[in-house]
Amino acid sequence: MMDACYQYSSALWHSLFQRGYRLSDRAERLRLLSPANGQVRPFDPRRYLAVYPEIIETISLYASPRWRRVALANDTTFEQFKAEFNDRLPQERALRSTARSWLLTELRQTATRIEAAALAPAPLQSAPD
């Protein structure tokens, strides 16, 4: 299940940044990781390192059976998950209106994907020859 948490949390952050979700700490981390000229290419591994703490925090949230249940619950209970996500991972500025509704859907769908992976039967391993 941890593989699924890592995979889907990483994908969530990739999508969040594409939609304008910004963290001031990430910008500072990226600046500290940047070469002397301050240029970091789009696919530079340092960009991934700069968001790694958020990925780990997101994994800890979704790896918790309690928080995953809250994320999958009705709208009133889901508000608790959204508040916890925002408390743990505060934004630098508010998302645009279309990105806000996308975020709510994506937070729940990420929980759904991870829950499905957790409930999936483990693949059978063949015996060594």
Side-chain angles (χ1 to χ4, degrees), residues 44-89:
D44 190 313
R46 287 174 279 211
R47 287 193 181 276
Y48 186 77
L49 287 173
V51 74
Y52 193 70
E54 286 77 22
I55 292 171
I56 296 302
E57 189 63 41
T58 305
I59 288 170
S60 73
L61 188 58
Y62 282 112
S64 163
R66 175 188 179 271
W67 282 113
R68 213 169 43 253
R69 277 192 307 275
V70 171
L72 294 168
N74 64 39
D75 289 338
T76 304
T77 305
F78 177 75
E79 288 296 318
Q80 294 173 11
F81 182 84
K82 183 178 91 174
E84 185 68 16
F85 183 88
N86 288 331
D87 285 346
R88 291 186 187 199
L89 300 152

Side-chain angles (χ1 to χ4, degrees), residues 1-9 56 59-60 62-64 68 114 117-118:
M1 186 198 52
M2 290 308 291
D3 288 344
C5 284
Y6 177 76
Q7 175 187 351
Y8 294 120
S9 293
I56 296 302
I59 288 170
S60 73
Y62 282 112
S64 163
R68 213 169 43 253
I114 292 169

Side-chain angles (χ1 to χ4, degrees), residues 77-122:
T77 305
F78 177 75
E79 288 296 318
Q80 294 173 11
F81 182 84
K82 183 178 91 174
E84 185 68 16
F85 183 88
N86 288 331
D87 285 346
R88 291 186 187 199
L89 300 152
Q91 300 178 62
E92 182 179 283
R93 65 177 186 256
L95 291 172
R96 293 166 299 204
S97 60
T98 56
R100 279 192 299 252
S101 61
W102 171 87
L103 174 60
L104 298 178
T105 300
E106 195 59 28
L107 289 175
R108 191 182 304 264
Q109 287 183 351
T110 299
T112 300
R113 292 176 189 116
I114 292 169
E115 185 71 7
L119 297 175

